[in-house]
Amino acid sequence: MKPAVRIAITGAAGNIGYAAAFRISSGEMLGKDQPVILQLIEIEPALEALKGVEMELLDCAFPLLEEIITTADLSVGFKDVDYALLIGSKPRTKGMERSDLLNDNGKIFGPQGRAINDHASRDVKVLVIGNPANTNALIAMSNAPDLSSAQFTSMMRLDHNRALNQLALKTDTPVSDITRLTVWGNHSLTQYPDINHCSIGGESATSLVDMSWYRESFLSKVQKRGAEIINARGASSAASAASAAIDHMRAWVFGTPDDDWTSMGIASTGDYGISEELMFSFPVRCKNGDYEVVRGLDMNDFSQEMIQKTEKELLEEREAVIHLL
Ligand code: NAD
Ligand code: LMR
């Protein structure tokens, strides 16, 4: 058996944490041969509920689950962790935008970034899920000066998966036949789901779908899917968010297929003219535990306009939390 790896999950008693912890413990994130130690982090008032989650995890008798640590102390929760899923934060409710959460949620991620900086494994891989995810990830990253900014990412995989599903439904194709889709920018209404380089069953997506459907229906369907779920469920997406978090980490660790890529919020290094001060979603290829932006894609005028719009929104979010960076 391999030695166990340590995985921190913040907000582990919440809806996404609850959906993620069991799948991670059964090996769906890191493989059926990888033992795990879960380090579940909550705020003090939720520690009792977290005890319940711990009891249920134990009652599953997962062969891969070596140990569970529950705590409200960040120095304990992030100690030596190899992976950190930063979920714990408020979800939005009907009528709110994700950026409306910045005031309440932004301040959570500075102390967590510092604690990761001080206590986690030097190779830790961090995924920020709590909204607004890109800017929260920027805050966490900025507070971890001893780690590489490439170790901090934000979740765009749910948007990527949503876009895959909409295309699959429209073209009556299995999602597994769709490759090279990208969702650029912010996890918000300005995100840009881009099918210009996408292939469906070996054919170019733009030749298979009507571009007026793409611009007038598909884009807003994907951009507004979070709100559509809140309206239907009365609560924000949870199981699909946990599933996307698992997909994101799996891709980062095990790689993306040679003929495909994924969408990840990463610290911009200036690709496609995007400001280096942002956590921005790009098309990325993952290999050997690292990732690299897919460079050289042709961007038409519409795509340029769309990525500049989402960049502008992220710059505004950054400005609003500049005191936390
Ligand atoms: P939830 O309210 O069900 O659970 C949140 C949990 O976080 C609670 O148990 C709470 O006690 C805990 N928490 C709050 N502050 C904390 C802190 N400082 N440290 C540790 N734990 C803390 O919410 P949820 O449905 O699990 O959603 C969590 C976050 O994920 C929200 O911000 C939501 O908007 C976001 N989200 C992001 C995506 C994405 O694609 N990026 C998708 C879905 C949801
Ligand atoms: C989502 O996209 O489902 C999440 O970001 C939750 C939300 O607020 O929409």
Side-chain angles (χ1 to χ4, degrees):
M1 255 317 193
K2 294 176 174 174
V5 295
R6 295 179 178 271
I7 304 169
I9 305 177
T10 71
N15 285 303
I16 301 174
Y18 187 74
F22 295 83
R23 292 188 57 191
I24 292 171
S25 302
S26 72
E28 288 183 52
M29 187 167 92
L30 296 174
K32 301 283 180 189
D33 60 346
Q34 178 58 68
V36 297
I37 296 170
L38 291 188
Q39 306 196 175
L40 307 179
I41 303 173
E42 262 293 354
I43 48 174
E44 293 280 348
L47 284 178
E48 193 53 35
L50 188 61
K51 270 274 154 235
V53 176
E54 181 185 18
M55 286 189 262
E56 281 201 76
L57 282 163
L58 292 170
D59 289 350
C60 291
F62 288 119
L64 293 172
L65 182 56
E66 249 180 39
E67 189 185 345
I68 305 173
I69 293 164
T70 59
T71 185
D73 180 340
L74 297 182
S75 65
V76 174
F78 289 121
K79 178 103 184 92
D80 295 332
V81 294
D82 303 287
Y83 303 92
L85 273 59
L86 307 189
I87 303 169
S89 51
K90 266 194 194 167
R92 66 174 164 154
T93 46
K94 248 186 191 169
M96 289 173 80
E97 285 310 326
R98 298 178 186 94
S99 56
D100 297 334
L101 296 166
L102 203 47
N103 243 349
D104 285 339
N105 285 350
K107 53 182 180 257
I108 294 173
F109 292 85
Q112 292 188 355
R114 267 191 297 284
I116 291 170
N117 184 70
D118 294 347
H119 303 287
S121 153
R122 296 304 79 188
D123 297 321
V124 65
K125 287 179 162 54
V126 182
L127 169 60
V128 176
I129 295 154
N131 276 321
N134 301 52
T135 298
N136 288 338
L138 183 74
I139 296 170
M141 181 195 89
S142 305
N143 282 275
D146 302 337
L147 297 172
S148 159
S149 44
Q151 290 172 255
F152 287 79
T153 63
S154 68
M155 192 162 92
M156 294 297 291
R157 185 58 182 255
L158 181 54
D159 309 286
H160 186 100
N161 288 349
R162 286 169 174 167
L164 283 177
N165 172 51
Q166 292 302 324
L167 274 181
L169 289 174
K170 179 72 179 173
T171 57
D172 198 17
T173 314
V175 280
S176 53
D177 281 0
I178 307 177
T179 56
R180 300 184 180 218
L181 172 87
T182 309
V183 182
W184 301 83
N186 197 5
H187 175 60
S188 74
L189 277 181
T190 67
Q191 65 180 259
Y192 173 41
D194 176 7
I195 65 164
N196 286 292
H197 311 97
C198 177
S199 158
I200 304 183
E203 287 185 66
S204 86
T206 51
S207 69
L208 292 178
V209 301
D210 174 0
M211 288 313 270
S212 62
W213 169 81
Y214 170 62
R215 290 196 185 186
E216 283 150 34
S217 175
F218 170 83
L219 288 180
S220 68
K221 185 76 176 176
V222 178
Q223 290 162 334
K224 294 182 183 160
R225 188 64 159 186
E228 190 182 355
I229 289 169
I230 292 171
N231 288 339
R233 249 172 57 85
S236 65
S237 65
S240 58
S243 195
I246 287 169
D247 289 346
H248 175 113
M249 282 303 199
R250 269 192 82 79
W252 193 354
V253 174
F254 296 110
T256 43
D258 287 342
D259 62 343
D260 200 5
W261 60 65
T262 188
S263 307
M264 276 168 70
I266 60 171
S268 168
T269 53
D271 286 293
Y272 296 95
I274 298 302
S275 163
E276 293 186 26
E277 301 180 318
L278 300 179
M279 193 62 70
F280 193 91
S281 180
F282 290 97
V284 301
R285 286 206 175 91
C286 305
K287 199 171 185 179
N288 301 328
D290 287 324
Y291 58 80
E292 193 172 72
V293 173
V294 179
R295 304 201 164 91
L297 296 177
D298 180 43
M299 302 295 278
N300 59 28
D301 289 348
F302 181 72
S303 296
Q304 279 297 350
E305 201 183 300
M306 294 297 280
I307 68 169
Q308 280 162 10
K309 189 169 166 198
T310 193
E311 178 192 33
K312 180 169 176 284
E313 181 186 46
L314 280 168
L315 285 167
E316 285 163 8
E317 286 186 19
R318 181 180 195 280
E319 208 41 51
V321 298
I322 201 89
H323 57 291
L324 300 175
L325 302 180

